């Protein structure tokens, strides 16, 4: 039996994803697990789960590429590549017309420009700061005692946004505390936070430029508030995969199959 | 200047320091370095470079009382000072030394403790920290008699040197260089020449020595020859493979920055040039497997030079040019012994940091072509705002015009707290992936 399956593992700060594709680059299965404090164990767990779903034994995997912040910890990987290249490859596979990818992950965000042939042309990443990442929203959700999944919808319900002047996560958090104390409606504060994060991302978008169709990847793509505000800025609809977190791992699996 | 001070200085210069350094060489355990497969053996000149710089900093402690001392900015027209015999200390060079010794963050913290903002340039913070605490890994810096600055590199320097002048209660002599928005005009030149001429009586008084025009001309001539030699040193890297890496030039730059106009500097670049030309003839590359050639923009990340040189060499990538090292070869053409004041006005006001972005773009385009550059690494330095502003536009323009891939890394020249290891690794690895094979 030939080893004609390929795996990609994306070890992120919050979650770890594994994707298995066949030699025709068709997605067979995927898994999402919490990274926790042991990246290599999370990678193993994600891979085992994906194999189980695909009903494949381990030895049928010909090549594994690891990506994400914990890529160095994936012992089983044959190769390691950055999430920038992997997100570009994943988005390209899902949406061949896409030339710009915005990825908003747990601890970083990036904007990627893909060339005509799918090659990486340029990219920008957030600087050493959590503002403009999933972590920003996570911290604010906790502070406002709102479920993270509900945050985006609440932002959309608000009629206006309270202005959040701080771009630093720590300062923005204390600003939120003051706003709550001043009895500002929670949904308006939430909308203000979404405006802040989208403005932050927008700066990165502008350094790379908007080219062709735009895809949004990473866990924050599940937040409808962010999506809505970003689309307003872009003046176009974002391409979003139903499981936006797995795009990096999918890209890694696609690259492994090449 | 006292007689005993002069005797002590000359004794140390001619007998004491050479003897001490000779002794150090004997007692120092000879480290036998295993040959590194990534690099050619180190340049033999490096030993001479270390000797020159160590001696300069060591002798500095015997200077007070023997010679007038000036603290000088990297872009100040030091040739004028040389004719008065000032012993010059470059706080920026001192800052880079502290950075390379990985003491930048510690020194910066001292300045921050005294109330200076962490957003202030880290060279300034290190210098202020040393001034306030006397601490430095360089031994001891001599107290300045005057400060000599030009604002062609930034405006921070003006306020930083004002703080130092206030602390020591000494004169600050400043050359104000109008920013070059499109082209330099006669008014700008006249304005700068007048300033240079006004400095002469102040310097005469500080140095207790009359200005000697012929001597000044001679110094300008030597400075020009030295700058041309530096230019030739850099030009050897146009060869494939390049005989030196830019990370090495960051260190070999020290004499032209801080001992400019002195015979020792001219002599040093002659022997460095000879060694590099020898390498070129033998086809020796500094990076053994030079697959790709890169350009560096902005000042070095001093505490990371070694790490970066290994990281890039592992990819078969060598930095063959940098806007930073080029800055000391950039305006040499304007140096003219027959017209020293006007030529200094041009030489010092038309440098990269006092020039418009279009100039910078054209300069980078030229370097990329001349040195056959495949990719560009841009250091966005938290300390150096004039150097870091406009980098994203330049990056975009260069990609549009030359199709050259580029990456921006955030960091700082000496303050390691502004550098994120993981973030930078990911950006650089993505850049390597962009460069492909």
């Amino acid at each position: 039996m030939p080893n004609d399956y390929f795996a990609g593992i994306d070890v992120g700060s919050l979650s770890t994803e594994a994707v298995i594709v066949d030699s025709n680059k068709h997605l067979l299965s995927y898994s999402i697990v919490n990274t926790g404090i042991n990246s290599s164990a999370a990678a193993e767990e994600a891979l085992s789960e994906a194999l189980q779903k695909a009903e494949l034994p381990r030895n049928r995997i010909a090549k594994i590429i690891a990506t994400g912040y914990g890529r160095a910890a994936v012992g089983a990987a044959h190769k390691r590549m950055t999430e920038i290249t992997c997100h570009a490859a994943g988005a390209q596979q899902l949406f061949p017309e896409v030339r710009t990818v915005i990825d908003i992950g747990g601890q970083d965000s990036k904007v990627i420009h893909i060339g005509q042939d799918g090659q990486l042309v340029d990219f920008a990443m957030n600087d050493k700061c959590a503002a403009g990442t999933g972590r920003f929203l996570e911290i604010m959700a906790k502070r406002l005692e709102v479920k993270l999944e509900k945050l985006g919808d609440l932002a959309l319900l608000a009629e206006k946004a309270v202005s959040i002047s701080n771009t630093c996560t720590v300062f923005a958090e204390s600003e939120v505390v003051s706003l709550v104390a001043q009895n500002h409606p929670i949904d308006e504060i939430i909308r203000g936070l979404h405006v802040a994060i989208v403005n932050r991302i927008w700066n990165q978008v502008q350094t790379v430029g908007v080219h062709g169709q735009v895809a949004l990847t990473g866990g924050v793509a599940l937040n409808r508030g962010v999506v809505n505000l970003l689309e307003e800025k872009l003046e176009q609809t974002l391409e979003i995969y139903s499981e936006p977190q797995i795009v990096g791992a999918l890209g890694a699996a696609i690259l492994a199959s090449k | 200047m006292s007689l005993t001070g002069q005797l002590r200085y000359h004794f140390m210069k001619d007998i004491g320091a050479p003897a001490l350094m000779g002794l150090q060489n004997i007692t120092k355990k000879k480290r036998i370095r295993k040959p590194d497969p990534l690099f050619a053996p180190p340049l033999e000149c490096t030993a001479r470079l270390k000797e020159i710089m160590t001696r300069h900093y060591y002798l500095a402690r015997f200077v007070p009382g023997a010679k007038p001392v000036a603290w000088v900015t990297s872009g100040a027209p030091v040739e004028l000072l040389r004719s008065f015999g000032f012993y010059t200390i470059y706080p920026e060079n001192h800052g880079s030394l502290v950075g390379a010794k990985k003491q930048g963050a510690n020194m910066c913290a001292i300045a921050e403790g005294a109330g200076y903002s962490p957003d202030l340039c880290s060279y300034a913070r290190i210098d202020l920290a040393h001034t306030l605490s006397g601490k430095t890994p360089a031994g001891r810096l001599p107290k300045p008699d005057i400060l000599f600055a030009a604002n062609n590199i930034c405006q921070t320097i003006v306020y930083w040197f004002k703080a130092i002048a206030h602390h020591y209660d000494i004169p600050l002599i400043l050359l104000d260089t109008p920013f070059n928005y499109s082209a330099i005009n006669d008014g700008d030149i006249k304005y700068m020449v007048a300033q240079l001429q006004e400095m002469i009586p102040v310097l005469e008084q500080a140095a207790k020595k009359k200005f000697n025009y012929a001597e000044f001309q001679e110094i300008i001539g030597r400075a020009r020859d030295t700058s041309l030699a530096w230019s030739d040193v850099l030009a050897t890297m146009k060869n494939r493979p390049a005989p030196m890496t830019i990370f090495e030039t960051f260190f070999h730059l020290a004499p032209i920055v801080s001992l400019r106009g002195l015979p020792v500097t001219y002599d040093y670049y002659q022997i460095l040039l000879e060694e590099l030309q020898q390498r070129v003839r033998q086809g020796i590359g500094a990076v053994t497997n030079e697959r790709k050639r890169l350009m560096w923009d902005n000042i070095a990340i001093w505490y990371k030079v070694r790490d970066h040189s290994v990281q890039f060499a592992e990819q078969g990538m060598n930095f063959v040019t940098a806007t930073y090292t080029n800055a000391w070869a950039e305006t040499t053409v304007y140096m003219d012994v027959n017209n020293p004041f006007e030529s200094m006005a041009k030489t010092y006001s038309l440098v990269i940091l006092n020039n418009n972005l279009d100039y910078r773009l054209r300069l980078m385009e030229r370097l990329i072509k001349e040195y056959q550059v495949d990719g560009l690494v841009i250091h966005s330095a938290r300390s150096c705002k004039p150097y870091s502003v406009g980098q994203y536009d330049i990056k975009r323009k260069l990609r549009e015009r030359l199709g050259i891939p580029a990456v921006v890394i955030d960091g700082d020249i000496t303050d390691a707290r502004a550098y994120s290891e993981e973030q930078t690794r990911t950006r650089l690895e993505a850049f390597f992936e962009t460069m492909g094979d």
Side-chain angles (χ1 to χ4, degrees):
Chain A
M1 220 171 353
N3 294 336
D4 40 13
Y5 297 96
F6 305 89
I9 306 175
D10 181 357
V11 185
S13 59
L14 291 177
S15 62
T16 295
E17 298 86 20
V19 165
I20 295 172
V21 299
D22 65 18
S23 51
N24 294 321
K25 301 175 188 171
H26 287 137
L27 189 148
L28 259 70
S29 68
Y30 69 86
S31 64
I32 304 173
V33 305
N34 284 328
T35 303
I37 53 162
N38 189 338
S39 305
S40 56
E44 270 306 314
E45 188 190 338
L47 181 61
S48 305
E49 205 182 302
L51 284 166
Q52 219 168 31
K53 284 185 186 167
E55 296 178 353
L56 283 173
R58 177 77 173 254
N59 61 13
R60 293 290 302 279
I61 303 294
K63 192 175 177 187
I64 301 172
I65 288 185
T67 185
Y69 268 79
R71 62 186 178 278
V74 184
H78 297 92
K79 197 177 173 184
R80 291 169 181 87
M81 295 189 86
T82 64
E83 50 273 38
I84 296 155
T85 301
C86 292
H87 273 273
Q92 179 82 21
Q93 170 73 7
L94 296 165
F95 310 105
E97 297 300 311
V98 158
R99 292 285 170 272
T100 309
V101 180
I102 304 171
D103 171 56
I104 313 176
Q107 75 173 26
D108 70 24
S109 55
K110 48 191 133 351
V111 181
I112 309 160
H113 174 196
I114 313 174
Q116 295 291 336
D117 313 316
Q119 81 282 15
L120 191 60
V121 177
D122 192 17
F123 64 92
M125 281 176 80
N126 63 316
D127 52 21
K128 299 166 290 295
C129 171
T133 71
R135 184 76 77 202
F136 178 83
L137 293 175
E138 197 189 333
I139 287 168
M140 300 309 162
K142 207 168 162 190
R143 171 59 65 192
L144 293 165
E145 296 175 352
V146 171
K147 274 193 177 156
L148 185 59
E149 306 83 66
K150 297 259 188 253
L151 208 61
D153 295 340
L154 286 170
L156 289 178
L157 288 174
E159 281 176 11
K160 58 181 185 4
V162 175
S163 155
I164 308 282
S165 57
N166 279 295
T167 48
C168 164
T169 305
V170 177
F171 288 162
E173 190 181 359
S174 37
E175 196 175 345
V176 164
V177 174
S178 317
L179 291 169
V180 170
Q182 291 159 21
N183 287 324
H184 282 279
I186 297 294
D187 57 345
E188 289 178 14
I189 298 174
I190 292 173
R191 190 171 173 92
L193 289 166
H194 281 70
V195 170
I197 185 175
V198 167
N199 284 343
R200 189 85 180 185
I201 303 283
W202 189 244
N203 290 342
Q204 285 176 54
V205 173
Q206 283 176 311
T207 66
V208 173
V210 179
H211 307 270
Q213 284 185 22
V214 186
L216 182 64
T217 65
V220 176
L222 295 168
N223 178 310
R224 290 205 299 141
V226 170
V227 172
N228 205 290
L229 289 166
L230 251 182
E231 285 180 337
E232 268 178 34
K233 288 242 179 215
L234 281 164
E235 294 174 354
Q236 63 167 290
T237 314
L238 285 162
E239 299 285 3
I240 301 170
Y241 183 55
S242 54
E243 293 285 358
Q245 300 108 302
I246 71 159
V247 178
L250 173 67
I254 301 284
L255 292 167
S257 76
K258 282 184 180 165
Chain B
M1 307 301 125
S2 71
L3 184 67
T4 41
Q6 292 202 15
L7 283 173
R8 194 181 53 169
Y9 171 75
H10 285 288
F11 171 77
M12 286 315 291
K13 177 172 173 276
D14 300 329
I15 302 162
L20 266 173
M21 288 174 72
L23 199 69
Q24 254 182 357
N25 279 343
I26 298 166
T27 52
K28 199 164 60 181
K29 272 191 203 156
K30 286 246 158 67
R31 263 195 306 164
I32 300 170
R33 271 206 197 156
K34 267 195 278 172
D36 189 332
L38 291 173
F39 302 101
L43 288 163
E44 281 175 23
C45 268
T46 310
R48 175 71 186 133
L49 173 73
K50 277 186 189 154
E51 194 184 311
I52 293 171
M53 295 314 293
T54 310
R55 204 170 85 122
H56 176 66
Y57 276 103
Y58 179 71
L59 271 183
R61 66 183 69 187
F62 301 102
V63 163
K67 277 170 160 262
V69 176
W71 284 13
V72 187
T73 67
S74 61
V78 71
E79 291 79 3
L80 192 58
L81 287 191
R82 296 279 178 234
S83 65
F84 292 98
F86 279 92
Y87 200 90
T88 53
I89 291 293
Y90 279 72
E92 291 157 79
N93 177 249
H94 171 245
S96 69
L97 199 85
V98 171
K101 286 181 184 281
K102 305 191 181 189
Q103 295 299 314
N106 295 340
M107 292 288 284
C108 286
I110 296 174
E112 287 159 29
Y116 288 97
S117 164
D119 290 326
L120 179 65
C121 162
S122 64
Y123 279 171
R125 274 177 289 155
I126 287 171
D127 191 35
L128 289 160
H130 163 261
T131 301
L132 296 171
S133 71
K135 286 183 188 162
T136 162
R140 197 165 62 216
L141 300 184
K143 181 185 164 300
D145 297 305
I146 60 152
L147 301 175
F148 193 60
N151 60 359
N152 52 355
I153 50 167
C154 62
Q155 293 302 316
T156 303
I157 207 95
V158 178
Y159 302 97
W160 155 14
F161 270 46
K162 271 187 182 175
I164 304 282
H166 180 77
H167 178 87
Y168 287 117
D169 192 20
I170 51 170
L172 162 61
I173 300 167
L174 175 75
L175 173 67
D176 179 33
T177 53
F179 189 82
N180 189 38
Y181 289 98
S182 54
I184 191 163
N185 62 42
D186 285 348
D188 292 339
I189 294 172
K190 273 185 195 153
Y191 171 59
M192 286 183 276
V193 167
Q195 292 180 68
L196 289 168
Q197 285 169 342
E198 271 178 16
M199 289 172 188
I200 290 172
V202 185
L203 294 171
E204 281 179 333
Q205 204 190 349
K208 311 269 185 295
K209 187 175 183 259
K210 275 276 166 213
F211 177 62
N212 180 329
Y213 188 77
E215 202 180 339
F216 179 47
Q217 280 183 305
E218 194 186 315
I219 289 161
I220 292 278
R222 196 186 300 127
R224 183 188 162 95
D225 291 345
T226 309
S227 185
L228 288 172
W230 175 247
S231 187
D232 289 343
V233 162
L234 295 179
T236 61
M237 300 210 292
K238 288 180 186 171
N239 290 284
R240 264 179 202 270
M244 182 159 62
T245 78
I246 216 70
F247 297 117
E248 289 170 286
T249 62
F250 288 161
F251 293 105
H252 292 278
L253 182 68
I256 200 161
V257 174
S258 53
L259 302 171
R260 197 162 64 248
L262 295 174
V264 65
T265 305
Y266 174 77
D267 295 343
Y268 177 67
Y269 290 123
Q270 295 303 319
I271 60 162
L272 174 61
L273 182 61
E274 209 168 293
E275 190 178 351
L276 292 169
Q277 284 169 341
Q278 175 72 11
R279 277 195 170 187
V280 171
R281 281 194 293 274
Q282 294 172 334
I284 299 173
V287 168
T288 43
N289 169 31
E290 184 191 293
R291 284 187 319 114
K292 301 269 182 185
R293 296 160 64 84
L294 305 178
M295 171 162 151
W296 178 273
D297 185 49
N298 212 328
I299 303 170
I301 304 176
W302 290 109
Y303 45 91
K304 277 283 151 195
V305 168
R306 174 73 197 159
D307 291 356
H308 283 156
S309 86
V310 171
Q311 201 177 356
F312 284 92
E314 279 172 351
Q315 301 292 325
M317 294 181 183
N318 187 19
F319 283 91
V320 294
T321 183
T323 51
Y324 174 52
T325 46
N326 184 65
W328 282 267
E330 201 179 343
T331 53
T332 321
V333 287
Y334 300 117
M335 285 196 185
D336 178 5
V337 289
N338 297 317
N339 217 349
F341 288 105
E342 277 193 20
S343 79
M344 294 246 281
K346 285 185 192 162
T347 303
Y348 284 99
S349 71
L350 293 174
V351 290
I352 184 167
L353 291 181
N354 201 47
N355 232 317
N356 56 74
L357 273 187
D358 195 44
Y359 167 85
R360 202 192 291 192
L361 188 63
R362 279 184 280 120
L363 170 75
M364 289 171 84
E365 259 187 295
R366 179 171 66 76
L367 291 175
I368 287 167
K369 285 178 187 159
E370 283 181 6
Y371 287 81
Q372 304 163 60
V373 168
D374 304 303
L376 170 64
V377 176
I378 297 169
H379 167 211
S380 173
R382 196 168 167 76
S383 276
C384 197
K385 278 85 176 175
Y387 217 145
S388 305
V389 76
Q391 284 178 318
Y392 280 95
D393 291 318
I394 284 176
K395 175 178 174 234
R396 181 172 44 81
K397 285 276 182 198
L398 288 174
R399 200 189 52 244
E400 284 167 9
R401 292 188 189 179
L402 305 172
I404 195 148
V407 64
V408 177
I409 53 176
D410 289 292
D412 187 62
I413 52 184
T414 72
D415 188 350
R417 295 170 299 179
Y419 181 89
S420 161
E421 194 71 54
E422 248 337 283
Q423 284 247 0
T424 312
R425 191 197 314 280
T426 299
R427 288 181 201 203
L428 290 180
E429 284 179 9
F431 173 68
F432 298 151
E433 288 162 7
T434 321
M435 297 279 290
D437 283 312

